[in-house]
Amino acid sequence: MFYINMQITYPIHQKHNIYPSFCSTTRVGLLSNSVDYIYSTQSSVFRTDLDWLKFVKYLGIHFKDAEKVNVVCQACSDGSEPYTLALALIHSLGLEASKKFFPIKARDIDITNISSFAKRGLINLTKEDIEKLKINGINFDKYFSNSTEQIRLVNDTINNEVQTYKVNQNLRQFVDFQNQDLEDDASRLVDNSNTVFLCRNVLPYLGSYDARKVIYNLGKNMKKGSILSLGTYSNSKFLTYREDYKFIKDCGFEPLADFKQTYIKTDNLSNRNELDWGANILSYRMPF
């Protein structure tokens, strides 16, 4: 089973409630009628913290004997990441070899995003996004076309270089968008050693307690040979303490050297009682 996780769109509980949104948009937190804090998340295609073409080649080899690799993109935001994966699979492995990875089940907690935009095949792209597609050998016009509609969320400030496009059916058919919570997915995951769970750049938004809960449940439910990718986020806020890496390792994950913050599941598990996220004092450490 193959899970991807992307930046989600709900309040971050820091100094104030800041609402991130997707793809070159900014939501502004206001305090006393003045701008108090601005937080912008970028959901972009072929995000550079992962070598996508190299990664899917690895997946093709790693899962060569699997009949089915179920792909779920958790916190998929606007769809940039699951569409990136689909394009990378098709153009690196070929359509026939990629079929066992489809459809990618793209999930996000933001109902408005999923229902109003993603399910309808709308996506915001920048000139830089389009250039990255071309650099990776993707024919932009084959998979995307101009849209008469424009994606806007309440109170968003839009970069003038952003344009809304329609995702053509020859790409849309490989991604299925649904509203779903990350923590529920992690706790209910059923794995037959055919899972790749890309939980990328989202755990810092959950806070230390809930982030460790997710990792604990993934460690409990994923089986040997499955893959977990967390994304690089910001080193100043995420995975800065040795205890963070130890907790991930104790949950049965070993780093994959060729891919940043990406792990393979092993059979090396510590005592499950000691790993309980609710009882372990490390669960309350920050960050993660």
Side-chain angles (χ1 to χ4, degrees), residues 221-239:
N221 293 329
M222 292 174 72
K223 296 182 179 179
K224 184 177 180 179
S226 290
I227 307 297
L228 170 67
S229 184
L230 302 178
T232 58
Y233 189 61
S234 168
N235 289 333
S236 65
K237 296 182 178 180
F238 185 40
L239 293 176

Side-chain angles (χ1 to χ4, degrees), residues 9-286:
T9 52
Y10 67 91
I12 299 175
H13 299 290
Q14 298 181 7
K15 181 178 179 182
H16 305 290
N17 285 343
I18 308 303
Y19 292 78
S21 57
F22 55 78
C23 197
S24 301
T25 67
T26 302
R27 289 187 177 184
V28 180
L30 299 179
L31 182 66
S32 300
N33 297 319
S34 64
V35 175
D36 180 68
Y37 188 84
I38 299 177
Y39 194 96
S40 174
T41 62
Q42 299 291 327
S43 296
S44 59
V45 297
F46 283 91
R47 185 167 174 169
T48 56
D49 62 336
L50 182 65
D51 186 333
W52 291 93
L53 297 182
K54 184 178 181 179
F55 184 61
V56 297
K57 286 179 181 177
Y58 168 81
L59 295 180
I61 295 171
H62 186 71
F63 291 105
K64 63 180 174 31
D65 295 327
E67 294 184 5
K68 174 65 179 174
V69 183
N70 295 312
V71 183
V72 177
C73 174
Q74 246 300 336
C76 64
S77 190
D78 64 340
S80 291
E81 194 151 292
Y83 285 136
T84 294
L85 180 68
L87 289 168
L89 284 165
I90 294 169
H91 286 263
S92 183
L93 304 184
L95 181 57
E96 191 62 32
S98 299
K99 286 182 178 179
K100 65 182 177 182
F101 293 93
F102 299 138
I104 296 171
K105 302 181 184 78
R107 303 293 185 251
D108 198 284
I109 198 172
D110 191 327
I111 298 175
T112 300
N113 180 23
I114 293 294
S115 299
S116 299
F117 309 123
K119 278 189 174 184
R120 295 168 55 217
L122 297 176
I123 190 170
N124 276 352
L125 297 173
T126 64
K127 293 178 181 179
E128 182 180 0
D129 287 325
I130 297 172
E131 185 62 27
K132 282 192 291 184
L133 287 167
K134 293 178 180 178
I135 290 173
N136 284 278
I138 308 300
N139 182 346
F140 175 80
D141 294 327
K142 179 178 180 179
Y143 298 104
F144 301 92
S145 56
N146 291 330
S147 172
T148 57
E149 299 181 82
Q150 200 169 40
I151 294 177
R152 291 292 183 269
L153 299 179
V154 178
N155 297 327
D156 280 344
T157 302
I158 307 299
N159 184 319
N160 290 331
E161 293 187 357
V162 174
Q163 183 173 337
T164 301
Y165 293 90
K166 291 196 69 173
V167 183
N168 295 340
Q169 185 59 31
N170 58 353
L171 178 57
R172 284 184 64 187
Q173 64 180 319
F174 300 124
V175 180
D176 174 53
F177 290 96
Q178 298 293 333
N179 174 240
Q180 181 61 51
D181 179 78
L182 165 61
E183 294 182 38
D184 287 344
D185 270 353
S187 64
R188 299 176 184 178
L189 175 66
V190 176
D191 178 29
N192 294 312
S193 293
N194 66 338
T195 296
V196 183
F197 197 115
L198 277 76
C199 184
R200 289 168 41 79
N201 306 308
V202 65
L203 293 184
Y205 296 126
L206 302 183
S208 176
Y209 182 84
D210 289 332
R212 284 180 179 270
K213 180 180 176 182
V214 168
I215 294 296
Y216 169 75
N217 282 323
L218 291 176
K220 181 176 65 175
N221 293 329
M222 292 174 72
K223 296 182 179 179
K224 184 177 180 179
S226 290
I227 307 297
L228 170 67
S229 184
L230 302 178
T232 58
Y233 189 61
S234 168
N235 289 333
S236 65
K237 296 182 178 180
F238 185 40
L239 293 176
T240 56
Y241 295 145
R242 284 178 298 178
E243 289 89 346
D244 301 336
Y245 293 102
K246 183 179 184 303
F247 186 81
I248 294 171
K249 186 172 183 177
D250 287 346
C251 287
F253 297 101
E254 292 290 337
L256 283 176
D258 290 340
F259 308 105
K260 295 179 181 178
Q261 304 298 353
T262 300
Y263 304 82
I264 187 167
K265 188 66 165 59
T266 71
D267 283 335
N268 301 323
L269 283 174
S270 299
N271 187 307
R272 290 195 186 279
N273 292 330
E274 295 177 0
L275 280 176
D276 180 43
W277 58 269
N280 189 347
I281 190 170
L282 290 180
S283 299
Y284 300 95
R285 286 206 175 194
M286 289 293 288

